[in-house]
Structure formats: structure tokens, C-alpha cells
Amino acid sequence: MTELMLKYFRTKQQEVQSQKVYDTQCPFCSMQCKMQLIEQRVVSRRNYKTVGKDNPTTNGRLCIKGMSAHQHALHHERIKQPMLKVDGEFVPITWKKALGHIREKYTAIQREDGLDALSVYGSASLTNEEAYLLGKFARVALKTKHIDYNGRLCMASAATGANQTFGMDRGFTNTLQEVPYTRCIILAGTNLAECQPTAMPYFEKAKENGAFIIAIDPRETATTKAADLHLKNKPGTDAALANGLLKILIEEQMIDQSFIQKRVNGFEEVREYLSSIEIEEIESITDLSKEELYQAASIFGQEESGMIFTARGIEQQTDGTAAVRGFLNILLATGKIGKANSGYGAITGQGNGQGAREHGQKADQLPGYRSIEKEEDRAYISKVWGVEEKDLPGKGVSAYEMFEKAYEGTISGMFIMCSNPVVSHPNANFVEKALKNLKSLIVVDMFISETAKLADLILPASSYLEDQGTMTNVEGRVTLREANRPLPGNVKHDWQIICDMAKVLGKGDYFSFTTAEEIFEELRVASRGGKADYFGITYEKLRKEDGILWPCPSVEHRGTERLFEDSFAHKDGRAKMAAISNLPRVPKQSQSKKYPLLLTTGRVMSQYLTGEQTRKSSTLVARNFESFMEIHPHTAKKYQLEDHSVVKVESKTGHIKVRCKWSMKIRKDTVFVPFHWVGTQNVNKLVSDDLDPSCKMPGFKVIAVRVSKASSDGNEEMVYPDE
């Protein structure tokens, strides 16, 4: 080697001055992939690289969002100190002044308007510790019944359906490790390949092993391409589709009569109801052929094992709970539950969508999946918290209903932690008006989001790189997210913010935590004996086992990999089937001359939720920098909409402008718009405020709309085809 080359390599070695490695987990979807951020200091620059880390769920796999996550956490627009609105502008202030502002505002509101005039809006992106603490804060520090969270828009239908059917709601009844060995899979309303891409190898392996995959979706997606049969039903007809499949299974005698007799209630009522329905009615409602229905039913019924997975496609509807129960009826009737390679999976959307709904953020819930309306549950949690049972508030209202109360003035103060409801909620224009009607809006966020812009005070949130805590992934596996990167600026951990607020409100004795692990130790006790029992889980055990599936009732217990092997969680140990209607109790929007198309919403791989974090990533924005409307070319020509042109999409509640994208992959009566964008591209402005009566889920997936050319002067040209 020449002297010149040696000099070159010595120079390069000197340039790399330091390297730091941060263990963490992806902050995005429910797969909760383990990963490491490698930070290298090269001369005066810092370079960052994210690599996957081995774990039981994803085996070190990462998607493009996980690999790019650090870009938003390190973004220059991140808030690093409290910001108070003064004369319409945000100015940085000290934590002392911020907490003083909170004490002044909240004390005045409760004195003038009552305890329940304050409300708390949480998030399924919080750790279990923070979700638990937020529920305790609302009920102990504020003594308000008004608390709910953004998971209401994500998992409410699946959670309610599973609780009503099985008596328990854990995302998966089995583990992902069983998927490759099942014989038939139904993917109902899920686009795994783009929404949870690191899960797809399990399904690809199943197909390699001979499994038959049935996908239910009005669109062709990367997921339906992997399926053997694609049922391209009309949006909003999933409950009827489930009824049709079950009717065929019963009539063709492809049910497990022994399993039903031993372990299921309600089958005869379901059989009687389905006997009154003609299969032609199912064809008419779903726009699927009898041949397609029989093929799907017969393959699932004849195979010895099978799994059904549901997601937002069938759940985000005004009969989402019924649709979920319809598919669970199929599992129960065929006996494909509680045994190897057979079971149910709700594809959770948000990172901690499972854990965040178990420990007290929901209006009707106490930690451990206890009910706030049950005397014994209230008594137990009161004892853990050291308060009188009579002092615990009762059941509040759902997330969207809190905004209705804010609009009417019943709620006059709101604390929002790590969520952006101005973008994520249905009837988004109304939600913005409701928040503007508050006397006080305090928001915890990493950025000045569309919701934070309306606040009188913004508090800086910590990122996934800094905020240690447990998360519960799509399987129900509790994982420990290590996060040891120093907090930037004057940022505090989210749990510290809650504790500091409780202290200035005179409730500091109930929130004297100094670490996330201390909070988890109390959570363990609070969950003990509940359906979501975490008592046997510790930080030490999580580090050793790399994740534990609840329930885990004792430290010696290894966690529960498969649910319902011997009995279900209802008191009698039996599951409950229920007859569900082909048509919802809350009527869905239908096509008309004025609104002739159906709009459905969803995700794209490179973006996440309202896009507040992913749109800060240059890598992800380069893939999808604007929203779009996917429309069949035949339909586009009817309305004289050119490919790539800007179009106006309008419903009864609002309108947006997006780029037109021709696609042969969508039904001719349907258009699709993703929900990650804001302002004039915020598709949730088109969604009505109709809610599922069982779980209060909005109907995001079925909206009657009209489309037209968008012009620069705002005078859109409407085209009404003769046909």
C-alpha cells in the first residue's frame, strides 16, 4: 500500500470522531418493529442510519417509514419549549409560567362551569405508562368524566365486536407465528402490504405453504394482488357479505356442530335469521356474484384451519361493529378459534392501539380493561389509587361527542395529548369550530399541528427516541421501548408533563413518579385480575423475553400465546353469536343524482395518520408529496376529468381539492382519497358525523360525493352525465 493511500485511510478514520447507537422502536404502526438509530459524527456533520433489530414479531424487518422515522424527531421545526399564544402569536415561555397558566385556566373553568367542563383527549401513540397516567389524571386530578382518545377512530369496532363475541379484546387471538401454517386466510378490509408491510412475509409464507388467501376490498391493492381470490364488493356492504358467506356455510353443512354445541350461544337465532335471507339479496347488496360467494365460503369451510383478519376497511363504518361480529360468527360456526393456526386478528392501526385502549383512556374504561360502570372494578381501582370510590367520576362520552359538547358549551376546556383531531375527525370543519369555542385549549405535541394552532398553550412532547416505556403491539405482545437519547431543549417526557400538571393542581401526591418504570409498576397492580392482566410483566422480564403476550397474571407466567383454547371470557365460558342485519341501524350515505359516487378513504405506505410527523421526512415526502383521488378511467371520462388534473370532491359536509389519478384498480362507482393531508386536501372534511351506535365509530369508508373540474377562480364546472 502506498504512502498516499495510508495517509488517505488515516484521514478518513480521524474524520469519524464518534458513533452513538440508540435502541428504540418504530413510532408508527402496530407492528412496533425494534430498531437502532446509529448516529455518526463526521467532522462537523452528523449522519444517521436506522437498522432493524431482531425481535419475535418482525425479525429485524423495517419499512420505509421506520427507516426514516428519525427525520421528524430531529426536524428543525420541532417545538423545544412551552409556547403561549399572545396577541395571536406563539411566544416561548418557561415551564413555570406554562404550569401557572394551566392552574389559572383550569381552576377558573371548574369554578365557573363545573368539574366535567374540563376534558382530556388522549392518543394511541402514547406508551402504556402515559395512557394509564392520562386516565388517572382525568379522574383523580381533574375529577372529570370527559376523557376519550383517538383510538376511538381506529379500533372501536373491532374492540366492541370482540368483547361482545368473545368477552375479551386482544388484537390477535393467536400469534403471527401461526399464520404461515393456516390453510385459509380472509383479509377483510385490510391493505397489509402498505399499512403493515413488515407483517406481509407471514402471509407470503402461508401462501408458499399452500394457504388460500381471500381479500375483501373495493380496490385492487398490493395486498389483493397477493390473494388467490379478490372479492371487490361495493363499499359499506361487508356485514351483508359476512351474512352471505355464513348462510352458504350453514346450508352446505360446512359448520362444526360439535364446537357450536359445546362452546357457543346464539347459533340457532343466527341460523333462523339467515334462513329468511336469499343469496340473491346478498348478490344485489354487495355486487358480488353467487359464484364468488360460494367459492369463498366453500374453501374457508372445507379447510381444517383458517384465520380471519379485519381492519379499517370494514370497521370504519356506521355498522362496523356488526360487520366484525359477522365475520366472528363465521369463525365460531366453523370452529376455527381457540386452536392452532385458527383464530382472529384485528389489524391495529396506531403504534399502541392495543395498549392505549386497555388502561383507562376510553370514556367507559379503567385500567386492566375494567369497566368504569362496574362497582367491583371501581372499588379495586379506587384502592390502588388511594381515593374514595364515590369520588371517581362515571362514564363520559366518545371522542367525537366531546367535540359536540365543546361546540354547545358543556365542555369549555380541553387537554389534548399527542393527537391532531382537527384533521383526523369526521366533519373536520365542525371540529375546528368546536375547538375555537373553548375557553382553553392546551395541546401537547412535537410540532405546531393544525390542532395546536388553535391552542392557547402548546407543550413540547418527547419523541420515540427519548421517551422510554412499554407498547403493546398488534398481537397483544407487550414490548419495552428503550429510549435513551437526551431530551432536546426544554422538552419533558409526556409522563412528566402529566405529573407536573397534577402537582400544580394540588394532586401531586397521586403522581409522584420519577421514572416510567415506576408508573409501570403501579399499572401492573392496577391491571391485576383484569381482562388485560399485566401483573406478571416487569421491565426486567421484558428485556429478557423481548416481549410478552398478555394476559400474564404472575411473574412466573410466560404470557398467553393463544386465547380461548378451553373457554371464552364471558362468565359462562361460551362465545356469543349474534344475528346482524344486512343494513345498518344508522343509514349509510347512498348514491344519488346530486352525489353519484361513493368515496372511501385509507392510507399510503409512505405516510401515517394525519401526516404531522411523516410529512416532516424528506424521504417520505419525496414518495407522496400531495393527496390524490383515485378514480376509474371510465368514470373519469364521464365527468370529463383528465388524469393528473386538479379536481374538486364534494359531500354534504364540505369539499376538498386534490389531484386526479386514473386507476383501473378501483370500482367504477367508487373513488379513493388517502387521509394524511391537511387544509384543502383534508378528506375528513367530507365525512359526516354519523356514528356506529354500538361503539361510536364514524363512517369514514362510505361517503356520497360528487366530483368536478377544479378551476383557479373557484368556479368548478359540474358535469352530470346522462347515464
Side-chain angles (χ1 to χ4, degrees):
M1 187 178 291
T2 67
E3 184 63 31
L4 185 62
M5 291 175 66
L6 286 170
K7 184 178 180 181
Y8 171 80
F9 284 118
R10 280 196 295 267
T11 302
K12 285 297 178 184
Q13 288 174 343
Q14 291 169 1
E15 285 180 354
V16 181
Q17 297 172 346
S18 64
Q19 177 174 292
K20 296 180 181 178
V21 178
Y22 301 105
D23 287 320
T24 186
Q25 286 174 207
C26 180
F28 298 126
C29 88
S30 58
M31 294 303 291
Q32 281 301 286
C33 303
K34 291 277 190 181
M35 59 192 194
Q36 292 179 324
L37 177 67
I38 301 172
E39 176 185 301
Q40 281 188 341
R41 185 180 177 91
V42 181
V43 191
S44 60
R45 295 197 323 272
R46 284 189 174 88
N47 293 332
Y48 298 93
K49 179 182 179 182
T50 300
V51 296
K53 188 178 178 183
D54 192 33
N55 64 92
T57 302
T58 58
N59 305 119
R61 295 187 291 271
L62 292 179
C63 77
I64 186 65
K65 287 196 293 291
M67 289 187 284
S68 307
H70 64 279
Q71 292 179 349
H72 81 261
L74 305 177
H75 199 274
H76 68 277
E77 290 182 11
R78 186 172 167 188
I79 302 169
K80 297 179 182 177
Q81 65 278 315
M83 306 286 286
L84 181 69
K85 187 176 285 181
V86 179
D87 297 328
E89 300 290 333
F90 285 110
V91 297
I93 60 171
T94 64
W95 275 102
K96 182 178 180 180
K97 187 171 182 179
L99 293 167
H101 174 87
I102 294 169
R103 179 177 59 242
E104 178 184 342
K105 287 285 187 179
Y106 282 12
T107 302
I109 286 172
Q110 292 195 318
R111 182 178 62 249
E112 296 166 6
D113 303 332
L115 297 177
D116 291 332
L118 287 179
S119 61
V120 175
Y121 187 96
S123 170
S125 295
L126 300 178
T127 64
N128 288 319
E129 291 81 354
E130 288 154 357
Y132 166 80
L133 208 60
L134 197 60
K136 182 180 179 181
F137 173 77
R139 291 163 178 130
V140 174
L142 299 183
K143 294 187 177 180
T144 180
K145 68 179 180 181
H146 286 135
I147 176 172
D148 212 75
Y149 78 130
N150 62 14
R152 178 74 67 171
L153 314 178
C154 178
M155 296 306 301
S157 299
T160 303
N163 276 317
Q164 291 175 349
T165 303
F166 304 140
M168 177 190 286
D169 158 45
R170 190 182 82 180
F172 280 23
T173 61
N174 306 55
T175 65
L176 276 165
Q177 285 73 19
E178 291 188 36
V179 170
Y181 307 104
T182 193
R183 297 297 303 157
C184 186
I185 298 169
I186 294 178
L187 299 173
T190 175
N191 184 9
L192 275 167
E194 293 189 84
C195 299
Q196 284 85 14
T198 57
M200 274 304 288
Y202 290 104
F203 296 86
E204 292 164 351
K205 185 65 177 177
K207 190 169 182 178
E208 289 176 15
N209 290 341
F212 192 92
I213 299 178
I214 302 166
I216 300 169
D217 199 312
R219 303 168 61 223
E220 293 176 28
T221 67
T223 303
T224 64
K225 284 182 181 178
D228 299 284
L229 174 63
H230 178 197
L231 300 179
K232 205 171 183 179
N233 63 317
K234 189 173 183 178
T237 63
D238 305 288
L241 172 54
N243 276 339
L245 296 177
L246 183 54
K247 177 181 176 66
I248 294 168
L249 288 165
I250 293 172
E251 291 181 348
E252 298 298 316
Q253 299 182 3
M254 291 184 286
I255 60 174
D256 189 333
Q257 197 66 52
S258 174
F259 182 87
I260 293 169
Q261 290 175 350
K262 292 177 182 177
R263 303 193 59 187
V264 179
N265 292 329
F267 174 74
E268 290 304 323
E269 290 84 351
V270 174
R271 184 209 294 265
E272 183 178 352
Y273 170 70
L274 293 178
S275 68
S276 67
I277 297 173
E278 298 297 329
I279 201 67
E280 287 75 17
E281 180 183 346
I282 304 298
E283 284 185 285
S284 176
I285 293 172
T286 62
D287 198 26
L288 295 172
S289 69
K290 184 183 298 185
E291 291 72 23
E292 289 175 301
L293 295 170
Y294 270 86
Q295 182 184 6
S298 61
I299 292 174
F300 191 82
Q302 290 171 10
E303 289 290 358
E304 62 181 0
S305 62
M307 291 181 166
I308 296 178
F309 298 88
T310 68
R312 306 305 82 70
I314 75 163
E315 296 164 13
Q316 286 184 324
Q317 303 189 35
T318 56
D319 63 345
T321 302
V324 170
R325 294 207 72 179
F327 283 98
L328 297 185
N329 282 343
I330 293 172
L331 279 179
L332 293 172
T334 56
K336 291 182 170 67
I337 185 78
K339 64 181 185 181
N341 312 326
S342 291
Y344 171 60
I347 308 296
T348 311
Q350 294 190 67
N352 200 27
Q354 180 68 51
R357 70 180 184 264
E358 297 169 353
H359 299 299
Q361 284 195 105
K362 288 177 71 175
D364 59 347
Q365 219 172 69
L366 291 171
Y369 235 133
R370 289 181 162 88
S371 170
I372 202 164
E373 296 183 293
K374 288 186 178 179
E375 186 176 342
E376 61 269 31
D377 289 349
R378 292 172 60 87
Y380 180 82
I381 295 300
S382 297
K383 186 176 180 181
V384 174
W385 287 349
V387 299
E388 295 292 326
E389 185 273 331
K390 63 180 177 60
D391 292 332
L392 277 184
K395 177 182 176 180
V397 298
S398 72
Y400 184 80
E401 291 171 313
M402 286 205 304
F403 296 111
E404 292 180 324
K405 289 189 174 295
Y407 184 78
E408 68 187 30
T410 306
I411 288 175
S412 50
M414 188 174 291
F415 177 71
I416 298 178
M417 178 163 264
C418 302
S419 190
N420 192 11
V422 164
V423 180
S424 62
H425 266 267
N427 201 5
N429 289 324
F430 171 82
V431 172
E432 183 172 349
K433 292 176 184 176
L435 291 179
K436 288 178 178 178
N437 197 43
L438 294 169
K439 292 180 180 179
S440 175
L441 173 61
I442 297 170
V443 173
V444 179
D445 208 323
M446 294 173 62
F447 302 99
I448 303 180
S449 68
E450 288 67 34
T451 301
K453 289 175 184 176
L454 306 178
D456 45 280
L457 176 65
I458 308 174
L459 304 176
S462 49
S463 81
Y464 75 102
L465 292 171
E466 304 131 17
D467 197 28
Q468 184 187 59
T470 59
M471 310 285 278
T472 306
N473 76 5
V474 66
E475 300 174 287
R477 189 185 302 275
V478 183
T479 63
L480 176 60
R481 183 179 73 192
E482 306 283 10
N484 55 2
R485 198 171 193 276
L487 289 164
N490 290 317
V491 173
K492 292 191 177 188
H493 293 298
D494 298 347
W495 59 264
Q496 287 179 311
I497 294 173
I498 298 171
C499 292
D500 288 349
M501 288 175 62
K503 184 176 181 180
V504 299
L505 294 172
K507 299 292 182 179
D509 290 346
Y510 300 97
F511 296 84
S512 57
F513 303 103
T514 59
T515 65
E517 187 171 6
E518 285 182 14
I519 302 169
F520 189 77
E521 287 300 304
E522 184 175 293
L523 181 156
R524 290 178 58 223
V525 176
S527 73
R528 188 176 192 177
K531 291 180 180 179
D533 192 337
Y534 283 31
F535 182 70
I537 303 173
T538 66
Y539 273 33
E540 180 182 359
K541 191 173 175 181
L542 287 172
R543 288 188 175 105
K544 182 179 178 181
E545 301 293 334
D546 208 8
I548 298 167
L549 289 142
W550 69 262
C552 184
S554 68
V555 176
E556 296 75 29
H557 198 280
R558 296 183 59 84
T560 307
E561 292 196 347
R562 189 182 303 129
L563 299 176
F564 314 134
E565 290 184 294
D566 301 313
S567 66
F568 292 96
H570 289 300
K571 287 185 177 180
D572 63 0
R574 298 170 68 87
K576 295 180 180 180
M577 292 182 69
I580 62 169
S581 173
N582 286 334
L583 301 175
R585 281 188 285 163
V586 176
K588 297 181 183 180
Q589 294 186 11
S590 57
Q591 296 153 283
S592 64
K593 184 177 180 180
K594 189 172 183 180
Y595 298 103
L597 299 172
L598 292 178
L599 164 69
T600 191
T601 68
R603 298 186 182 192
V604 295
M605 183 187 288
S606 65
Q607 298 296 320
Y608 179 70
L609 299 185
T610 67
E612 188 59 35
Q613 296 175 2
T614 47
R615 281 185 283 107
K616 298 294 189 297
S617 165
S618 57
T619 301
L620 300 178
V621 169
R623 288 174 170 246
N624 292 96
F625 61 89
E626 65 178 357
S627 188
F628 59 88
M629 179 192 72
E630 190 174 277
I631 186 171
H632 195 281
H634 174 80
T635 310
K637 290 174 183 177
K638 283 173 62 176
Y639 294 97
Q640 299 179 19
L641 304 178
E642 296 180 3
D643 195 16
H644 304 303
S645 65
V646 178
V647 297
K648 180 180 181 180
V649 190
E650 187 175 6
S651 75
K652 293 179 180 179
T653 61
H655 69 271
I656 61 171
K657 292 184 180 181
V658 291
R659 187 78 57 185
C660 181
K661 181 180 179 181
W662 287 14
S663 174
M664 297 290 290
K665 299 176 182 179
I666 195 164
R667 290 172 53 94
K668 293 178 182 178
D669 61 358
T670 304
V671 295
F672 167 84
V673 178
F675 54 66
H676 311 293
W677 280 269
V678 301
T680 58
Q681 298 185 75
N682 179 7
V683 72
N684 288 330
K685 291 181 177 182
L686 310 183
V687 182
S688 77
D689 56 7
D690 294 332
L691 304 176
D692 182 316
S694 297
C695 68
K696 307 302 181 183
M697 170 72 80
F700 290 104
K701 299 304 181 189
V702 186
I703 308 112
V705 298
R706 59 188 180 189
V707 295
S708 60
K709 298 177 183 178
S711 61
S712 57
D713 60 8
N715 295 317
E716 279 68 41
E717 180 183 347
M718 292 300 300
V719 176
Y720 292 93
D722 294 333
E723 51 182 295

